[in-house]
Amino acid sequence: MISYEDLINLLKTAESAEEIDCHREEIAELIPQVRVMFDFDQKNHAHQYDLWMHCIHTVMNLDRNMDDDMLYLAALLHDIGKPDCQVAGSRPDDENMHYYGHPERSAEIVQDEILNTLYEHGANLLFEDQKRLVYYVRYHDEHVSLRMKHLRRHLEMVSLEEYKKLMLLQVADARAHVMIPVIEQRIEICQKLSGGYADYLQEQILAGK
């Protein structure tokens, strides 16, 4: 079984999705909950990968060796709640499966199950790390906006730097999709919010605008 430390190192340094995937069984021994993602067909026109490979590609779309381990772990686990949330479209002409509420379900699985599993296997995550991991997973698919009220709400939960890292996760997740217009728009907005525009909005908020 791969150790928690080795998993994090793999997620941060791997040079390809295939490099991570070849360790899938070892990862599943450490975190058995991930097995539900293996070969799970998402059956949605915005996705070209099964659920497991989508999450691995999300990991790979993050810059290598950033200092926040929880960002990589969140990328691996962000969609783990999807199988519990799969529903068919309500219109007869909708051939896609949908996953309403999956970020919240994913966050529940991480908080209620996976953190305990990791602890049992010797990973002693600090409370702040646990909180940040659950935050990243819960809000990885939230609708983003360049309006101040969007950032203001998140700054009531986390720091600006943590919010900007969430935007990096949103970009990484989006880039693991098929590049349809709505996905391209999401990437454009999140890239702005992962950089100087978020700083500008915070300044406006602090100035009472």
Side-chain angles (χ1 to χ4, degrees):
M1 178 176 67
I2 193 172
S3 70
Y4 169 75
E5 291 77 13
D6 287 341
L7 171 62
I8 294 300
N9 183 64
L10 174 65
L11 299 179
K12 294 175 71 170
T13 64
E15 296 182 357
S16 69
E18 291 71 25
E19 183 179 346
I20 298 174
D21 185 47
C22 73
H23 294 280
R24 68 162 63 187
E25 286 300 325
E26 296 169 75
I27 296 171
E29 288 183 32
L30 177 67
I31 310 175
Q33 293 87 349
V34 302
R35 288 190 183 278
V36 71
M37 297 194 287
F38 293 172
D39 304 313
F40 183 88
D41 186 351
Q42 301 194 73
K43 298 179 181 178
N44 186 285
H45 74 283
H47 285 282
Q48 73 270 47
Y49 303 117
D50 68 45
L51 186 55
W52 173 249
M53 292 307 297
H54 165 75
C55 290
I56 292 178
H57 279 275
T58 301
V59 172
M60 291 306 306
N61 287 336
L62 294 169
D63 286 346
R64 304 289 79 198
N65 266 319
M66 290 187 290
D67 61 359
D68 190 345
D69 295 350
M70 296 303 100
L71 197 56
Y72 296 93
L73 191 56
L76 182 69
L77 301 173
H78 71 279
D79 276 348
I80 198 166
K82 271 190 169 182
D84 290 346
C85 300
Q86 187 185 65
V87 294
S90 58
R91 300 190 317 271
D93 62 340
D94 186 356
E95 298 180 353
N96 292 305
M97 300 302 289
H98 298 272
Y99 301 91
Y100 307 118
H102 81 269
E104 292 79 11
R105 179 58 185 144
S106 296
E108 288 174 359
I109 293 171
V110 170
Q111 182 166 302
D112 298 340
E113 300 178 31
I114 293 177
L115 286 173
N116 289 332
T117 299
L118 290 174
Y119 178 78
E120 291 170 359
H121 288 145
N124 294 311
L125 277 68
L126 298 175
F127 175 76
E128 288 303 316
D129 290 335
Q130 297 179 34
K131 181 180 176 182
R132 196 165 65 257
L133 172 64
V134 173
Y135 168 75
Y136 290 152
V137 173
R138 185 178 301 278
Y139 294 103
H140 79 269
D141 196 43
E142 184 186 48
H143 176 72
V144 288
S145 169
L146 296 175
R147 300 174 67 178
M148 278 190 289
K149 69 177 184 179
H150 169 72
L151 179 60
R152 184 182 289 115
R153 185 169 70 86
H154 280 269
L155 292 182
E156 293 174 354
M157 297 182 280
V158 295
S159 69
L160 180 64
E161 288 307 309
E162 289 167 329
Y163 171 80
K164 289 164 75 171
K165 287 177 180 177
L166 173 67
M167 293 300 100
L168 293 178
L169 176 59
Q170 283 234 19
V171 170
D173 179 27
R175 285 179 170 162
H177 287 67
V178 176
M179 285 298 105
I180 57 179
V182 66
I183 299 298
E184 292 176 341
Q185 183 181 39
R186 176 185 172 195
I187 291 172
E188 181 180 355
I189 293 172
C190 290
Q191 284 179 325
K192 287 183 179 180
L193 291 170
S194 69
Y197 195 78
D199 297 289
Y200 164 75
L201 288 180
Q202 184 186 50
E203 290 173 3
Q204 297 299 300
I205 292 170
L206 293 175
K209 298 294 181 66

PDB file of all heavy atoms in Angstrom, residues 47 54 78-79 82 99-104 135-144 166-167 169-170 173-174 177 183 186 190:
ATOM      1  N   HIS A  47     -17.747  15.646 -20.935  1.00  0.00           N
ATOM      2  CA  HIS A  47     -16.675  14.811 -20.407  1.00  0.00           C
ATOM      3  C   HIS A  47     -16.197  13.794 -21.432  1.00  0.00           C
ATOM      4  O   HIS A  47     -17.009  13.111 -22.052  1.00  0.00           O
ATOM      5  CB  HIS A  47     -17.146  14.073 -19.154  1.00  0.00           C
ATOM      6  CG  HIS A  47     -17.223  14.951 -17.945  1.00  0.00           C
ATOM      7  ND1 HIS A  47     -16.124  15.321 -17.216  1.00  0.00           N
ATOM      8  CD2 HIS A  47     -18.292  15.547 -17.359  1.00  0.00           C
ATOM      9  CE1 HIS A  47     -16.501  16.104 -16.221  1.00  0.00           C
ATOM     10  NE2 HIS A  47     -17.810  16.261 -16.283  1.00  0.00           N
ATOM     11  N   HIS A  54     -10.757  11.516 -15.190  1.00  0.00           N
ATOM     12  CA  HIS A  54     -11.033  12.957 -15.129  1.00  0.00           C
ATOM     13  C   HIS A  54     -10.352  13.578 -13.912  1.00  0.00           C
ATOM     14  O   HIS A  54      -9.722  14.645 -14.016  1.00  0.00           O
ATOM     15  CB  HIS A  54     -12.540  13.212 -15.057  1.00  0.00           C
ATOM     16  CG  HIS A  54     -12.885  14.609 -14.638  1.00  0.00           C
ATOM     17  ND1 HIS A  54     -12.763  15.692 -15.487  1.00  0.00           N
ATOM     18  CD2 HIS A  54     -13.317  15.101 -13.435  1.00  0.00           C
ATOM     19  CE1 HIS A  54     -13.104  16.797 -14.829  1.00  0.00           C
ATOM     20  NE2 HIS A  54     -13.442  16.468 -13.595  1.00  0.00           N
ATOM     21  N   HIS A  78     -12.265  15.469  -5.806  1.00  0.00           N
ATOM     22  CA  HIS A  78     -13.315  16.479  -5.903  1.00  0.00           C
ATOM     23  C   HIS A  78     -14.651  15.947  -6.418  1.00  0.00           C
ATOM     24  O   HIS A  78     -15.710  16.475  -6.082  1.00  0.00           O
ATOM     25  CB  HIS A  78     -12.858  17.666  -6.752  1.00  0.00           C
ATOM     26  CG  HIS A  78     -12.743  17.388  -8.223  1.00  0.00           C
ATOM     27  ND1 HIS A  78     -11.655  16.758  -8.780  1.00  0.00           N
ATOM     28  CD2 HIS A  78     -13.589  17.644  -9.255  1.00  0.00           C
ATOM     29  CE1 HIS A  78     -11.820  16.652 -10.090  1.00  0.00           C
ATOM     30  NE2 HIS A  78     -12.995  17.176 -10.402  1.00  0.00           N
ATOM     31  N   ASP A  79     -14.645  14.909  -7.231  1.00  0.00           N
ATOM     32  CA  ASP A  79     -15.888  14.386  -7.819  1.00  0.00           C
ATOM     33  C   ASP A  79     -16.293  13.026  -7.261  1.00  0.00           C
ATOM     34  O   ASP A  79     -17.132  12.332  -7.849  1.00  0.00           O
ATOM     35  CB  ASP A  79     -15.734  14.266  -9.338  1.00  0.00           C
ATOM     36  CG  ASP A  79     -16.013  15.574 -10.061  1.00  0.00           C
ATOM     37  OD1 ASP A  79     -16.548  16.511  -9.434  1.00  0.00           O
ATOM     38  OD2 ASP A  79     -15.711  15.663 -11.269  1.00  0.00           O
ATOM     39  N   LYS A  82     -19.994  11.955  -7.192  1.00  0.00           N
ATOM     40  CA  LYS A  82     -20.823  11.897  -8.400  1.00  0.00           C
ATOM     41  C   LYS A  82     -21.647  10.611  -8.544  1.00  0.00           C
ATOM     42  O   LYS A  82     -22.829  10.676  -8.903  1.00  0.00           O
ATOM     43  CB  LYS A  82     -19.958  12.104  -9.645  1.00  0.00           C
ATOM     44  CG  LYS A  82     -19.806  13.568 -10.045  1.00  0.00           C
ATOM     45  CD  LYS A  82     -19.152  13.698 -11.403  1.00  0.00           C
ATOM     46  CE  LYS A  82     -19.238  15.128 -11.921  1.00  0.00           C
ATOM     47  NZ  LYS A  82     -18.641  15.259 -13.266  1.00  0.00           N
ATOM     48  N   TYR A  99     -25.468  15.560 -12.373  1.00  0.00           N
ATOM     49  CA  TYR A  99     -24.891  15.260 -11.061  1.00  0.00           C
ATOM     50  C   TYR A  99     -25.159  16.407 -10.092  1.00  0.00           C
ATOM     51  O   TYR A  99     -24.253  16.967  -9.490  1.00  0.00           O
ATOM     52  CB  TYR A  99     -23.393  14.994 -11.209  1.00  0.00           C
ATOM     53  CG  TYR A  99     -23.116  13.839 -12.146  1.00  0.00           C
ATOM     54  CD1 TYR A  99     -22.912  14.048 -13.502  1.00  0.00           C
ATOM     55  CD2 TYR A  99     -23.129  12.527 -11.683  1.00  0.00           C
ATOM     56  CE1 TYR A  99     -22.702  12.982 -14.384  1.00  0.00           C
ATOM     57  CE2 TYR A  99     -22.928  11.460 -12.539  1.00  0.00           C
ATOM     58  CZ  TYR A  99     -22.712  11.703 -13.872  1.00  0.00           C
ATOM     59  OH  TYR A  99     -22.517  10.632 -14.737  1.00  0.00           O
ATOM     60  N   TYR A 100     -26.439  16.748  -9.930  1.00  0.00           N
ATOM     61  CA  TYR A 100     -26.817  17.846  -9.059  1.00  0.00           C
ATOM     62  C   TYR A 100     -26.417  17.544  -7.611  1.00  0.00           C
ATOM     63  O   TYR A 100     -26.655  16.463  -7.097  1.00  0.00           O
ATOM     64  CB  TYR A 100     -28.331  18.079  -9.139  1.00  0.00           C
ATOM     65  CG  TYR A 100     -28.832  18.269 -10.551  1.00  0.00           C
ATOM     66  CD1 TYR A 100     -29.748  17.379 -11.107  1.00  0.00           C
ATOM     67  CD2 TYR A 100     -28.379  19.329 -11.337  1.00  0.00           C
ATOM     68  CE1 TYR A 100     -30.207  17.544 -12.413  1.00  0.00           C
ATOM     69  CE2 TYR A 100     -28.822  19.495 -12.637  1.00  0.00           C
ATOM     70  CZ  TYR A 100     -29.736  18.601 -13.176  1.00  0.00           C
ATOM     71  OH  TYR A 100     -30.173  18.765 -14.465  1.00  0.00           O
ATOM     72  N   GLY A 101     -25.790  18.528  -6.984  1.00  0.00           N
ATOM     73  CA  GLY A 101     -25.392  18.377  -5.589  1.00  0.00           C
ATOM     74  C   GLY A 101     -24.138  17.563  -5.361  1.00  0.00           C
ATOM     75  O   GLY A 101     -23.783  17.278  -4.207  1.00  0.00           O
ATOM     76  N   HIS A 102     -23.429  17.213  -6.442  1.00  0.00           N
ATOM     77  CA  HIS A 102     -22.264  16.344  -6.232  1.00  0.00           C
ATOM     78  C   HIS A 102     -21.124  17.009  -5.457  1.00  0.00           C
ATOM     79  O   HIS A 102     -20.409  16.304  -4.731  1.00  0.00           O
ATOM     80  CB  HIS A 102     -21.755  15.779  -7.570  1.00  0.00           C
ATOM     81  CG  HIS A 102     -20.894  16.702  -8.359  1.00  0.00           C
ATOM     82  ND1 HIS A 102     -21.391  17.579  -9.302  1.00  0.00           N
ATOM     83  CD2 HIS A 102     -19.546  16.902  -8.337  1.00  0.00           C
ATOM     84  CE1 HIS A 102     -20.398  18.263  -9.835  1.00  0.00           C
ATOM     85  NE2 HIS A 102     -19.264  17.878  -9.273  1.00  0.00           N
ATOM     86  N   PRO A 103     -20.902  18.320  -5.544  1.00  0.00           N
ATOM     87  CA  PRO A 103     -19.814  18.886  -4.730  1.00  0.00           C
ATOM     88  C   PRO A 103     -20.074  18.721  -3.225  1.00  0.00           C
ATOM     89  O   PRO A 103     -19.153  18.401  -2.466  1.00  0.00           O
ATOM     90  CB  PRO A 103     -19.806  20.364  -5.135  1.00  0.00           C
ATOM     91  CG  PRO A 103     -20.404  20.387  -6.503  1.00  0.00           C
ATOM     92  CD  PRO A 103     -21.476  19.342  -6.451  1.00  0.00           C
ATOM     93  N   GLU A 104     -21.327  18.941  -2.824  1.00  0.00           N
ATOM     94  CA  GLU A 104     -21.665  18.780  -1.418  1.00  0.00           C
ATOM     95  C   GLU A 104     -21.517  17.315  -0.987  1.00  0.00           C
ATOM     96  O   GLU A 104     -21.005  17.030   0.109  1.00  0.00           O
ATOM     97  CB  GLU A 104     -23.097  19.253  -1.161  1.00  0.00           C
ATOM     98  CG  GLU A 104     -23.301  20.756  -1.322  1.00  0.00           C
ATOM     99  CD  GLU A 104     -23.423  21.185  -2.777  1.00  0.00           C
ATOM    100  OE1 GLU A 104     -23.558  20.303  -3.662  1.00  0.00           O
ATOM    101  OE2 GLU A 104     -23.387  22.407  -3.023  1.00  0.00           O
ATOM    102  N   TYR A 135     -13.136  22.541   2.027  1.00  0.00           N
ATOM    103  CA  TYR A 135     -13.532  23.764   1.321  1.00  0.00           C
ATOM    104  C   TYR A 135     -13.275  23.638  -0.174  1.00  0.00           C
ATOM    105  O   TYR A 135     -14.159  23.936  -0.997  1.00  0.00           O
ATOM    106  CB  TYR A 135     -12.770  24.957   1.893  1.00  0.00           C
ATOM    107  CG  TYR A 135     -12.881  26.217   1.060  1.00  0.00           C
ATOM    108  CD1 TYR A 135     -14.041  26.971   1.061  1.00  0.00           C
ATOM    109  CD2 TYR A 135     -11.811  26.634   0.261  1.00  0.00           C
ATOM    110  CE1 TYR A 135     -14.146  28.121   0.293  1.00  0.00           C
ATOM    111  CE2 TYR A 135     -11.912  27.785  -0.504  1.00  0.00           C
ATOM    112  CZ  TYR A 135     -13.076  28.527  -0.487  1.00  0.00           C
ATOM    113  OH  TYR A 135     -13.177  29.658  -1.265  1.00  0.00           O
ATOM    114  N   TYR A 136     -12.093  23.194  -0.546  1.00  0.00           N
ATOM    115  CA  TYR A 136     -11.777  23.054  -1.968  1.00  0.00           C
ATOM    116  C   TYR A 136     -12.747  22.099  -2.659  1.00  0.00           C
ATOM    117  O   TYR A 136     -13.217  22.363  -3.767  1.00  0.00           O
ATOM    118  CB  TYR A 136     -10.349  22.523  -2.153  1.00  0.00           C
ATOM    119  CG  TYR A 136      -9.242  23.473  -1.783  1.00  0.00           C
ATOM    120  CD1 TYR A 136      -8.008  22.983  -1.338  1.00  0.00           C
ATOM    121  CD2 TYR A 136      -9.391  24.852  -1.883  1.00  0.00           C
ATOM    122  CE1 TYR A 136      -6.968  23.833  -1.007  1.00  0.00           C
ATOM    123  CE2 TYR A 136      -8.361  25.711  -1.541  1.00  0.00           C
ATOM    124  CZ  TYR A 136      -7.145  25.194  -1.109  1.00  0.00           C
ATOM    125  OH  TYR A 136      -6.115  26.035  -0.778  1.00  0.00           O
ATOM    126  N   VAL A 137     -13.028  20.980  -2.027  1.00  0.00           N
ATOM    127  CA  VAL A 137     -13.917  19.996  -2.636  1.00  0.00           C
ATOM    128  C   VAL A 137     -15.342  20.543  -2.729  1.00  0.00           C
ATOM    129  O   VAL A 137     -16.003  20.428  -3.767  1.00  0.00           O
ATOM    130  CB  VAL A 137     -13.896  18.675  -1.837  1.00  0.00           C
ATOM    131  CG1 VAL A 137     -14.956  17.708  -2.371  1.00  0.00           C
ATOM    132  CG2 VAL A 137     -12.514  18.031  -1.920  1.00  0.00           C
ATOM    133  N   ARG A 138     -15.818  21.173  -1.668  1.00  0.00           N
ATOM    134  CA  ARG A 138     -17.208  21.644  -1.629  1.00  0.00           C
ATOM    135  C   ARG A 138     -17.484  22.720  -2.679  1.00  0.00           C
ATOM    136  O   ARG A 138     -18.589  22.791  -3.241  1.00  0.00           O
ATOM    137  CB  ARG A 138     -17.535  22.191  -0.239  1.00  0.00           C
ATOM    138  CG  ARG A 138     -19.011  22.587  -0.084  1.00  0.00           C
ATOM    139  CD  ARG A 138     -19.290  23.074   1.338  1.00  0.00           C
ATOM    140  NE  ARG A 138     -18.989  22.079   2.348  1.00  0.00           N
ATOM    141  CZ  ARG A 138     -19.816  21.091   2.689  1.00  0.00           C
ATOM    142  NH1 ARG A 138     -20.992  20.975   2.101  1.00  0.00           N
ATOM    143  NH2 ARG A 138     -19.455  20.232   3.627  1.00  0.00           N
ATOM    144  N   TYR A 139     -16.498  23.557  -2.969  1.00  0.00           N
ATOM    145  CA  TYR A 139     -16.742  24.694  -3.861  1.00  0.00           C
ATOM    146  C   TYR A 139     -16.042  24.577  -5.211  1.00  0.00           C
ATOM    147  O   TYR A 139     -15.962  25.547  -5.951  1.00  0.00           O
ATOM    148  CB  TYR A 139     -16.325  25.991  -3.159  1.00  0.00           C
ATOM    149  CG  TYR A 139     -17.205  26.298  -1.968  1.00  0.00           C
ATOM    150  CD1 TYR A 139     -16.758  26.052  -0.666  1.00  0.00           C
ATOM    151  CD2 TYR A 139     -18.490  26.797  -2.144  1.00  0.00           C
ATOM    152  CE1 TYR A 139     -17.571  26.299   0.429  1.00  0.00           C
ATOM    153  CE2 TYR A 139     -19.312  27.061  -1.059  1.00  0.00           C
ATOM    154  CZ  TYR A 139     -18.849  26.807   0.225  1.00  0.00           C
ATOM    155  OH  TYR A 139     -19.667  27.044   1.296  1.00  0.00           O
ATOM    156  N   HIS A 140     -15.582  23.362  -5.558  1.00  0.00           N
ATOM    157  CA  HIS A 140     -14.819  23.213  -6.802  1.00  0.00           C
ATOM    158  C   HIS A 140     -15.653  23.465  -8.051  1.00  0.00           C
ATOM    159  O   HIS A 140     -15.106  23.771  -9.116  1.00  0.00           O
ATOM    160  CB  HIS A 140     -14.210  21.805  -6.881  1.00  0.00           C
ATOM    161  CG  HIS A 140     -15.182  20.752  -7.304  1.00  0.00           C
ATOM    162  ND1 HIS A 140     -15.933  20.017  -6.400  1.00  0.00           N
ATOM    163  CD2 HIS A 140     -15.555  20.317  -8.538  1.00  0.00           C
ATOM    164  CE1 HIS A 140     -16.703  19.179  -7.053  1.00  0.00           C
ATOM    165  NE2 HIS A 140     -16.497  19.330  -8.347  1.00  0.00           N
ATOM    166  N   ASP A 141     -16.961  23.349  -7.944  1.00  0.00           N
ATOM    167  CA  ASP A 141     -17.819  23.482  -9.120  1.00  0.00           C
ATOM    168  C   ASP A 141     -18.808  24.633  -8.975  1.00  0.00           C
ATOM    169  O   ASP A 141     -19.748  24.748  -9.748  1.00  0.00           O
ATOM    170  CB  ASP A 141     -18.579  22.165  -9.351  1.00  0.00           C
ATOM    171  CG  ASP A 141     -19.192  22.065 -10.749  1.00  0.00           C
ATOM    172  OD1 ASP A 141     -18.507  22.433 -11.718  1.00  0.00           O
ATOM    173  OD2 ASP A 141     -20.352  21.631 -10.857  1.00  0.00           O
ATOM    174  N   GLU A 142     -18.582  25.476  -7.987  1.00  0.00           N
ATOM    175  CA  GLU A 142     -19.507  26.589  -7.765  1.00  0.00           C
ATOM    176  C   GLU A 142     -19.462  27.575  -8.935  1.00  0.00           C
ATOM    177  O   GLU A 142     -18.408  27.831  -9.512  1.00  0.00           O
ATOM    178  CB  GLU A 142     -19.157  27.322  -6.471  1.00  0.00           C
ATOM    179  CG  GLU A 142     -20.137  28.436  -6.143  1.00  0.00           C
ATOM    180  CD  GLU A 142     -19.703  29.261  -4.945  1.00  0.00           C
ATOM    181  OE1 GLU A 142     -18.528  29.670  -4.920  1.00  0.00           O
ATOM    182  OE2 GLU A 142     -20.520  29.499  -4.058  1.00  0.00           O
ATOM    183  N   HIS A 143     -20.624  28.124  -9.272  1.00  0.00           N
ATOM    184  CA  HIS A 143     -20.674  29.161 -10.299  1.00  0.00           C
ATOM    185  C   HIS A 143     -19.825  30.348  -9.855  1.00  0.00           C
ATOM    186  O   HIS A 143     -19.945  30.821  -8.723  1.00  0.00           O
ATOM    187  CB  HIS A 143     -22.113  29.610 -10.516  1.00  0.00           C
ATOM    188  CG  HIS A 143     -22.241  30.750 -11.487  1.00  0.00           C
ATOM    189  ND1 HIS A 143     -22.048  30.587 -12.851  1.00  0.00           N
ATOM    190  CD2 HIS A 143     -22.507  32.070 -11.293  1.00  0.00           C
ATOM    191  CE1 HIS A 143     -22.205  31.747 -13.445  1.00  0.00           C
ATOM    192  NE2 HIS A 143     -22.487  32.662 -12.536  1.00  0.00           N
ATOM    193  N   VAL A 144     -18.950  30.812 -10.735  1.00  0.00           N
ATOM    194  CA  VAL A 144     -18.037  31.904 -10.393  1.00  0.00           C
ATOM    195  C   VAL A 144     -18.526  33.210 -11.002  1.00  0.00           C
ATOM    196  O   VAL A 144     -19.214  33.226 -12.018  1.00  0.00           O
ATOM    197  CB  VAL A 144     -16.598  31.606 -10.869  1.00  0.00           C
ATOM    198  CG1 VAL A 144     -15.976  30.527 -10.012  1.00  0.00           C
ATOM    199  CG2 VAL A 144     -16.577  31.218 -12.340  1.00  0.00           C
ATOM    200  N   LEU A 166      -8.504  27.915  -4.780  1.00  0.00           N
ATOM    201  CA  LEU A 166      -9.740  27.291  -5.243  1.00  0.00           C
ATOM    202  C   LEU A 166      -9.958  27.583  -6.720  1.00  0.00           C
ATOM    203  O   LEU A 166     -10.384  26.710  -7.482  1.00  0.00           O
ATOM    204  CB  LEU A 166     -10.932  27.803  -4.434  1.00  0.00           C
ATOM    205  CG  LEU A 166     -12.315  27.349  -4.933  1.00  0.00           C
ATOM    206  CD1 LEU A 166     -12.500  25.844  -4.755  1.00  0.00           C
ATOM    207  CD2 LEU A 166     -13.424  28.125  -4.229  1.00  0.00           C
ATOM    208  N   MET A 167      -9.658  28.807  -7.132  1.00  0.00           N
ATOM    209  CA  MET A 167      -9.807  29.155  -8.546  1.00  0.00           C
ATOM    210  C   MET A 167      -8.829  28.362  -9.415  1.00  0.00           C
ATOM    211  O   MET A 167      -9.163  27.989 -10.547  1.00  0.00           O
ATOM    212  CB  MET A 167      -9.597  30.662  -8.747  1.00  0.00           C
ATOM    213  CG  MET A 167     -10.682  31.531  -8.117  1.00  0.00           C
ATOM    214  SD  MET A 167     -12.361  31.196  -8.767  1.00  0.00           S
ATOM    215  CE  MET A 167     -13.039  30.154  -7.455  1.00  0.00           C
ATOM    216  N   LEU A 169      -7.948  25.327  -8.760  1.00  0.00           N
ATOM    217  CA  LEU A 169      -8.593  24.018  -8.851  1.00  0.00           C
ATOM    218  C   LEU A 169      -9.732  24.052  -9.860  1.00  0.00           C
ATOM    219  O   LEU A 169      -9.897  23.119 -10.654  1.00  0.00           O
ATOM    220  CB  LEU A 169      -9.112  23.596  -7.478  1.00  0.00           C
ATOM    221  CG  LEU A 169      -9.899  22.282  -7.429  1.00  0.00           C
ATOM    222  CD1 LEU A 169      -9.054  21.109  -7.936  1.00  0.00           C
ATOM    223  CD2 LEU A 169     -10.408  22.013  -6.022  1.00  0.00           C
ATOM    224  N   GLN A 170     -10.502  25.124  -9.862  1.00  0.00           N
ATOM    225  CA  GLN A 170     -11.592  25.238 -10.837  1.00  0.00           C
ATOM    226  C   GLN A 170     -11.044  25.233 -12.267  1.00  0.00           C
ATOM    227  O   GLN A 170     -11.623  24.606 -13.155  1.00  0.00           O
ATOM    228  CB  GLN A 170     -12.403  26.510 -10.585  1.00  0.00           C
ATOM    229  CG  GLN A 170     -13.350  26.416  -9.419  1.00  0.00           C
ATOM    230  CD  GLN A 170     -14.786  26.771  -9.810  1.00  0.00           C
ATOM    231  OE1 GLN A 170     -15.155  26.759 -10.970  1.00  0.00           O
ATOM    232  NE2 GLN A 170     -15.587  27.079  -8.812  1.00  0.00           N
ATOM    233  N   ASP A 173      -9.895  21.658 -13.088  1.00  0.00           N
ATOM    234  CA  ASP A 173     -11.071  20.823 -13.317  1.00  0.00           C
ATOM    235  C   ASP A 173     -11.673  21.119 -14.689  1.00  0.00           C
ATOM    236  O   ASP A 173     -11.975  20.200 -15.461  1.00  0.00           O
ATOM    237  CB  ASP A 173     -12.083  21.098 -12.200  1.00  0.00           C
ATOM    238  CG  ASP A 173     -13.364  20.290 -12.344  1.00  0.00           C
ATOM    239  OD1 ASP A 173     -13.325  19.202 -12.947  1.00  0.00           O
ATOM    240  OD2 ASP A 173     -14.403  20.751 -11.841  1.00  0.00           O
ATOM    241  N   ALA A 174     -11.834  22.389 -15.005  1.00  0.00           N
ATOM    242  CA  ALA A 174     -12.433  22.763 -16.291  1.00  0.00           C
ATOM    243  C   ALA A 174     -11.605  22.265 -17.467  1.00  0.00           C
ATOM    244  O   ALA A 174     -12.149  21.804 -18.474  1.00  0.00           O
ATOM    245  CB  ALA A 174     -12.597  24.282 -16.355  1.00  0.00           C
ATOM    246  N   HIS A 177     -12.252  18.875 -18.914  1.00  0.00           N
ATOM    247  CA  HIS A 177     -13.508  18.706 -19.638  1.00  0.00           C
ATOM    248  C   HIS A 177     -13.276  18.843 -21.141  1.00  0.00           C
ATOM    249  O   HIS A 177     -12.198  19.228 -21.596  1.00  0.00           O
ATOM    250  CB  HIS A 177     -14.523  19.772 -19.218  1.00  0.00           C
ATOM    251  CG  HIS A 177     -15.117  19.589 -17.862  1.00  0.00           C
ATOM    252  ND1 HIS A 177     -14.394  19.706 -16.702  1.00  0.00           N
ATOM    253  CD2 HIS A 177     -16.395  19.310 -17.482  1.00  0.00           C
ATOM    254  CE1 HIS A 177     -15.198  19.514 -15.655  1.00  0.00           C
ATOM    255  NE2 HIS A 177     -16.410  19.266 -16.108  1.00  0.00           N
ATOM    256  N   ILE A 183     -17.428  25.975 -20.782  1.00  0.00           N
ATOM    257  CA  ILE A 183     -16.210  25.592 -20.055  1.00  0.00           C
ATOM    258  C   ILE A 183     -15.109  26.613 -20.309  1.00  0.00           C
ATOM    259  O   ILE A 183     -14.376  27.013 -19.382  1.00  0.00           O
ATOM    260  CB  ILE A 183     -15.748  24.185 -20.464  1.00  0.00           C
ATOM    261  CG1 ILE A 183     -16.826  23.136 -20.125  1.00  0.00           C
ATOM    262  CG2 ILE A 183     -14.431  23.835 -19.790  1.00  0.00           C
ATOM    263  CD1 ILE A 183     -17.150  23.024 -18.650  1.00  0.00           C
ATOM    264  N   ARG A 186     -15.778  29.590 -18.179  1.00  0.00           N
ATOM    265  CA  ARG A 186     -15.436  29.311 -16.780  1.00  0.00           C
ATOM    266  C   ARG A 186     -13.942  29.452 -16.557  1.00  0.00           C
ATOM    267  O   ARG A 186     -13.505  30.059 -15.563  1.00  0.00           O
ATOM    268  CB  ARG A 186     -15.901  27.899 -16.412  1.00  0.00           C
ATOM    269  CG  ARG A 186     -15.534  27.439 -15.010  1.00  0.00           C
ATOM    270  CD  ARG A 186     -15.932  25.983 -14.820  1.00  0.00           C
ATOM    271  NE  ARG A 186     -15.434  25.426 -13.571  1.00  0.00           N
ATOM    272  CZ  ARG A 186     -15.399  24.138 -13.290  1.00  0.00           C
ATOM    273  NH1 ARG A 186     -15.864  23.258 -14.164  1.00  0.00           N
ATOM    274  NH2 ARG A 186     -14.920  23.704 -12.138  1.00  0.00           N
ATOM    275  N   CYS A 190     -12.189  32.165 -13.968  1.00  0.00           N
ATOM    276  CA  CYS A 190     -11.404  31.639 -12.842  1.00  0.00           C
ATOM    277  C   CYS A 190      -9.946  32.052 -12.924  1.00  0.00           C
ATOM    278  O   CYS A 190      -9.295  32.268 -11.893  1.00  0.00           O
ATOM    279  CB  CYS A 190     -11.535  30.119 -12.784  1.00  0.00           C
ATOM    280  SG  CYS A 190     -13.168  29.542 -12.290  1.00  0.00           S
TER     281      CYS A 190
END
